[in-house]
DNA sequence: TTTAGTGTACTATATGATATAATACACTTG
DNA sequence: CAAGTGTATTATATCATATAGTACACTAAA
């Protein structure tokens, strides 16, 4: 279990999933939530790799995905920065929210839940919190 | 794109995901939805492998997972059968539904959506997407 | 101009998951 | 015994993931 800290924000990685994917998802989350501001510099590939004790190539992999997402911009020699475009981030949020939601609904349908049952289910999960 | 038919039910597999996982999910779905009845015989490993044009070991892999799920029982020399226990299937449905739901809510939270926004989002997806 | 800090590119290597192939064995039923 | 089951084993191949090491390109600041 390794931890990384961006300003006053921290995230952890483990061995349950691909490392680059965990870095990717955590950074996506921090940027989408606005925890890292527009145009703000994010850690260099080498720095984050050093702090997480993983290979720079692995961080690079994550950063390349973030660039494809349109969430960051890389400037050779300067560093990597969150996009200036707030609308691009909103677009990203909506795209993935739609994707996650459709995916979730498909899986629930596969288990034989209809729409009303899914709505009920979410309510119980929300109030109850974690698993049961 | 290969198709398999169980009685009057069909499913397809492609190359976008591991083959054994697709067989697993499709069979889980058919059993959880009750499309295959309690105690009913499911295709032999060799038969399904032949029809889907994949290796018997791959089907075996899926069937072993289904057995761990408690959804099927294998009888050496006879074949493989859906469990007799309806409550076991309900338990499975609830377990996975809770898992999927928690997972979904976590991802949406990571994007910065709160509970009310998630509920609104699902409503828009429902009206636009599949029907029950 | 030099140096330090960036991103980038490439080669090599290792491991695990996935998938196939081929064969043999164990058990049940007719 | 024969046919149809599930099971087990060994071998091979491919791909994703991850690491290691090295070198290059660019920028800003000393």
């Amino acid at each position: 279990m390794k931890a990384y800290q961006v300003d006053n924000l921290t995230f952890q990685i483990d061995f349950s999933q691909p490392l680059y994917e965990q870095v990717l998802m955590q950074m996506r989350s921090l940027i989408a939530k606005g925890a890292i501001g527009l145009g703000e510099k994010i850690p260099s590939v080498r720095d984050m790799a050093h702090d997480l004790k993983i290979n720079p190539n692995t961080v690079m992999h994550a950063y390349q995905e973030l660039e494809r997402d349109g969430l960051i911009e890389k400037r050779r020699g300067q560093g990597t920065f969150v996009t200036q475009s707030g609308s691009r981030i909103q677009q990203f949020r909506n795209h993935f929210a739609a994707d996650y939601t459709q995916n979730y609904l498909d899986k629930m349908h596969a288990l034989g839940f209809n729409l009303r049952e899914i709505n009920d289910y979410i309510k119980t999960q929300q109030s109850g919190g974690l698993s049961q």
Side-chain angles (χ1 to χ4, degrees), chain A:
Chain A
M1 202 76 93
K2 307 161 180 178
Y4 190 73
Q5 187 154 8
V6 183
D7 295 335
N8 54 346
L9 301 163
T10 314
F11 66 78
Q12 310 224 325
I13 60 175
D14 54 38
F15 296 100
S16 65
Q17 287 178 323
L19 302 178
Y20 86 92
E21 207 168 298
Q22 294 182 62
V23 174
L24 173 62
M25 296 305 280
Q26 297 273 15
M27 291 302 293
R28 273 180 174 167
S29 176
L30 291 177
I31 296 172
K33 286 201 281 199
I36 310 179
L38 296 180
E40 202 170 313
K41 189 173 189 295
I42 67 175
S44 79
V45 171
R46 285 178 178 85
D47 273 1
M48 183 173 288
H50 175 264
D51 291 355
L52 289 174
K53 296 180 176 45
I54 62 179
N55 196 281
N57 296 337
T58 304
V59 177
M60 259 275 278
H61 192 168
Y63 277 22
Q64 281 169 342
E65 283 291 322
L66 289 170
E67 192 173 35
R68 265 180 234 123
D69 290 336
L71 294 181
I72 64 171
E73 291 165 9
K74 293 182 277 188
R75 301 180 206 144
R76 208 188 188 93
Q78 296 182 55
T80 306
F81 304 81
V82 173
T83 179
Q84 297 281 358
S85 164
S87 68
R88 183 65 197 85
I89 294 181
Q90 290 312 307
Q91 187 185 339
F92 170 87
R93 265 169 43 100
N94 282 323
H95 176 81
F96 274 81
D99 193 62
Y100 292 157
T101 302
Q102 195 55 57
N103 217 283
Y104 167 65
L105 293 178
D106 286 349
K107 283 185 183 170
M108 292 297 277
H109 286 314
L111 288 181
F113 288 90
N114 63 33
L115 294 179
R116 201 178 54 73
E117 289 170 317
I118 293 175
N119 279 319
D120 293 348
Y121 212 100
I122 288 191
K123 288 202 187 78
T124 65
Q125 287 301 100
Q126 286 171 178
S127 53
L130 294 169
S131 64
Q132 57 181 75

